[in-house]
Amino acid sequence: MMKISKIAKLAAGAALIAMTAGAVKAQEQVEVLHWWTSGGEAAALNVLKENLQKQGVTWKDMPVAGGAGSAAMTALRARVTAGDPPTAVQLLGFDLKDWAEMGVAANLNELAEKEGWDKVIPAALQDFSKYDGNWIAAPVNIHSTNWLWINKAALDKAGGKVPTNIEELIAMLDAFKEQGLTALAHGGVPWQDGTLWEAVVLSTGGPEFYKKAVLEADPAALSGEEMKKVFDTMSKLRTYFDQNFSGREWNLSTAMVIEGKAGAQQMGDWSKGEWLRADKKPGTDFVCIRFPGTQGSVLFNADQFMMFDVGGDAEKAQMKMASAVEDPAFQIAFNTVKGSVPARTDISDEKFDDCGKKGMKDLAEASSNGTLMGSLAHGYAQPAAIKEAMLDVITQHLNGQLTTEAALKRLPEAVAAAK
Ligand code: BGC
């Protein structure tokens, strides 16, 4: 029989091991700042949380609601200023460069090299995932903004033909109005106004005009005849919104189309996440098409987790998270729920629905044709100051505070002042 003292010693030893394990476990934690708070977004985020939990990494959630990260950036500023950044932060486009410039980014080179990220992550994303040649972020997905989501029953009633240009879009919206629906579900906040505007710019002037006006912010393009057509179309589209559009979150507008109260929504493909969450099927309950007149081009927006320099033990969990994000199986599991497509070029489209398959095909084509371009509203076309300045004019015009003539004058002025 074991002596009492020996049992006590064993018990003490076991307790010590448990404590040490506990301490190691406590260090294996990631604190993640993000704005994925809608039903579809949260479901996708769960895929990542569960993946990490299985690896023994605890998830400390820091959600900051507000589409396109509008409020999340303010929260991040406060944390970084206090010298206490989260482990990983959902960031878009030029914001990644801005934060990296402040010297607060972690370095993911070792992991990226081991896993061969250079070869599989599209160059258009690498421009933002790297700073000074060093990997600072793990891209999660590729979204795109030039989509239109249509309620299938409403479309069938309207004749079933999908619009291929602005004129046909207007005809379809008129038919939805006649059905007693809100023809176009839209939420009046700057980033959503900008998401609609950039699709109209691309549709009106084509990819070369988008490059001039948006990517180069060329004053002549921002104030010329073509841009006048864009603002006129925005004014026309405004007549198809409901009265309560002001300030509405994007997912509530999606819900209006899902429930058959509205006919269509122009929105990025995160919208599909809401449809899927509501158990709706593409082709049966809803139809996804490129925003009329923008076929052949893709305005991209990619969510990336920038890793902050948190040093010490937390780095281990951070690298596990970055590695999990780039894992091909995760890329499929996450993006089929989120509505986006993989941030890697080596993933089969087999597990994706028809909208996802189309998204992947369009992306590959646009990438080889030179018509893959960054979204303005989501930070991939211009740095924050210029983006905000442009969105300001777009929103004021859409709300009737600026005439088209005044908007055409203001747009290049606002850009110049922001530079
Ligand atoms: C993000 C998406 C997100 C959407 C709405 C976009 O800027 O890239 O992941 O679903 O905003 O919140």
Side-chain angles (χ1 to χ4, degrees), residues 288-312:
C288 59
I289 58 166
R290 285 293 163 190
F291 185 77
T294 70
Q295 303 86 324
S297 296
V298 170
L299 300 183
F300 78 92
N301 162 32
D303 292 300
Q304 311 213 24
F305 277 121
M306 176 165 150
M307 299 300 168
F308 278 71
D309 183 8
V310 285

Side-chain angles (χ1 to χ4, degrees), residues 35-36 38 41 66-69 90 92 141 143 191 249-250 270 301-303 338 377-378:
W35 62 90
W36 284 333
S38 79
E41 291 173 332
Q90 179 190 1
L92 308 176
N141 59 16
H143 273 302
W191 75 263
E249 265 300 343
W250 65 276
W270 44 91
N301 162 32
D303 292 300
K338 183 71 170 66
H378 300 268

Side-chain angles (χ1 to χ4, degrees), residues 67-68 70 145-147 184-202 210 214 227 230-231 233-235 237-239 241-242 244-250 253 265-268 270 291 299 375-378 387-402 411:
S70 33
T145 60
N146 56 316
W147 287 103
L184 192 60
H186 180 77
V189 294
W191 75 263
Q192 291 188 60
D193 299 342
T195 305
L196 179 62
W197 181 85
E198 65 190 33
V200 174
V201 170
L202 180 60
Y210 186 90
V214 181
M227 194 54 78
V230 171
F231 280 112
T233 300
M234 291 298 282
S235 303
L237 292 178
R238 164 107 161 62
T239 65
F241 302 167
D242 63 317
N244 301 320
F245 82 100
S246 198
R248 185 167 54 218
E249 265 300 343
W250 65 276
S253 299
Q265 179 188 27
Q266 184 282 323
M267 189 43 66
W270 44 91
F291 185 77
L299 300 183
S375 151
L376 174 74
H378 300 268
K387 173 187 90 175
E388 303 295 346
M390 290 177 75
L391 294 187
D392 212 36
V393 176
I394 294 162
T395 288
Q396 286 189 36
H397 174 266
L398 193 64
N399 289 336
Q401 292 158 305
L402 284 180
L411 202 52

Side-chain angles (χ1 to χ4, degrees), residues 186-336:
H186 180 77
V189 294
W191 75 263
Q192 291 188 60
D193 299 342
T195 305
L196 179 62
W197 181 85
E198 65 190 33
V200 174
V201 170
L202 180 60
S203 173
T204 308
E208 291 316 312
F209 179 66
Y210 186 90
K211 283 178 195 166
K212 264 256 160 295
V214 181
L215 301 186
E216 293 167 28
D218 174 72
L222 289 175
S223 57
E225 257 320 291
E226 209 67 29
M227 194 54 78
K228 180 177 179 307
K229 284 189 215 155
V230 171
F231 280 112
D232 285 344
T233 300
M234 291 298 282
S235 303
K236 176 73 180 165
L237 292 178
R238 164 107 161 62
T239 65
Y240 297 100
F241 302 167
D242 63 317
Q243 284 189 343
N244 301 320
F245 82 100
S246 198
R248 185 167 54 218
E249 265 300 343
W250 65 276
N251 56 316
L252 300 180
S253 299
T254 309
M256 289 166 64
V257 189
I258 294 176
E259 288 159 15
K261 293 179 183 144
Q265 179 188 27
Q266 184 282 323
M267 189 43 66
D269 41 13
W270 44 91
S271 205
K272 193 184 80 182
E274 301 303 302
W275 286 93
L276 300 180
R277 184 85 185 134
D279 224 9
K280 305 290 185 196
K281 305 268 173 297
T284 310
D285 304 302
F286 66 99
V287 175
C288 59
I289 58 166
R290 285 293 163 190
F291 185 77
T294 70
Q295 303 86 324
S297 296
V298 170
L299 300 183
F300 78 92
N301 162 32
D303 292 300
Q304 311 213 24
F305 277 121
M306 176 165 150
M307 299 300 168
F308 278 71
D309 183 8
V310 285
D313 298 324
E315 237 174 60
K316 213 170 144 205
Q318 195 170 45
M319 294 305 148
K320 274 192 181 170
M321 176 172 166
S323 175
V325 163
E326 299 315 327
D327 174 49
F330 168 80
Q331 285 281 323
I332 294 172
F334 178 90
N335 287 309
T336 45

